[in-house]
Amino acid sequence: MAQELNQAYFELHQIEPILSWAEKSGVDIDGILARLGIDADARKGTAESRVRIVDYYRIQREIARLMDDLTAQLSERKLLYQTGPFVVTQMRSAVTLMDAIRSLASHFNMMHGGNYNNIRQNETTLTLVVDDASFPYRFRDDSALTHFIGDALLIKTQCLLESISNGTAGRALKRVVLKRDRQEAGKEHLRFWQVPISYGHSAYELVYDIDVACEPITPARDVDLTTDGLFDRVIRYLEELSPTVDTRSYTARTEDLIADGYETQQAAASQLGISIATYRRRLSEENTSFRDILQESRARRAGRMLEQGESVAQVSEKLGYSDVRAFNRAFKKLRGLSPAAFIKMNEPPVHAK
């Protein structure tokens, strides 16, 4: 699949409504794109706008993290970002692909508060049906966008199931069913699929061979099973399928690794395949250090969480500081004001009645 997957792309303008909405909510979209090595001018159509499908999930993950919303604001009903690891943890206890599919459907229905995911079974197939007709999409009036979102959800689901099942999901998959019309534009991302695609249906479906779905599964050895975040696991799995040469700066790659949860110099250097000494030298040549990049990343996340109403103590704990005083010192050093002053500065104005 790796050779074909290299051809799975999307056009950045396809998700411009998502980017614009997040930007209006305070997310630095151009900064996210820069860290991914994507030219921000692509949003305006003045630069190459074709982007690898894996980077869609990277963009979505950053929006989700910053907004503390696992749906990345695609739904009008917020779902806490921390629920992602919960879903993956529950699925990892599955002993067959069928168990994993049922677990995924059940837990997402529970968290989204609706019966959007269903299982259909007969003598030969096991089908995961995703019916989003009543899902509270924020962009429900944009059919091209919602079709792309639905397509991308199926790809994400399949990657998640494949990583959990050690590739069994790939062997079992027989057909993919989509809502979009066959003639509809903007479907380069569908080259991801190596099975027949059926278009123009009322719901999305992943159709599996039931015999393979009932086989016992064992953990994959070549996938990072410690990465429990839903987005992180999908991104890692896609990168395993289609590795590419990363030509970005070490600073940008370090920011990406920290976002993936690699928050020690040793772990980041290991992921980059270089020694710690070489890693330090490369960052020094770019006039920075791992500590500086980590502190800046934490400061950005802290600012966003404080803006969303979390207390200083909550933010300090979530970001792994030893105590509130250490967090206060680090934040003030980078932002020039204390967390309390930052909160006060970002409070909405009180209008006189």
Side-chain angles (χ1 to χ4, degrees), residues 161-172:
L161 289 168
E162 284 202 60
S163 90
I164 293 292
S165 68
N166 194 15
T168 299
R171 290 194 299 111

Side-chain angles (χ1 to χ4, degrees), residues 26 38 67 80 95 105 119 143 205 213 216 291 299 307 333 344:
I38 300 171
M67 304 296 290
L80 292 179
V95 296
I119 307 297
S143 61
E205 296 182 5
R291 184 177 182 276
E307 288 175 346
K333 181 179 179 181
K344 187 172 183 179

Side-chain angles (χ1 to χ4, degrees), residues 206-238:
L206 293 173
V207 184
Y208 299 96
D209 181 291
I210 196 166
D211 290 333
V212 179
C214 290
E215 293 177 3
I217 56 178
T218 54
R221 295 182 179 179
D222 58 346
V223 178
D224 181 11
L225 292 179
T226 64
T227 307
D228 279 340
L230 193 152
F231 284 109
D232 294 352
R233 178 173 285 267
V234 169
I235 290 165
R236 287 288 167 189
Y237 189 75
L238 282 168

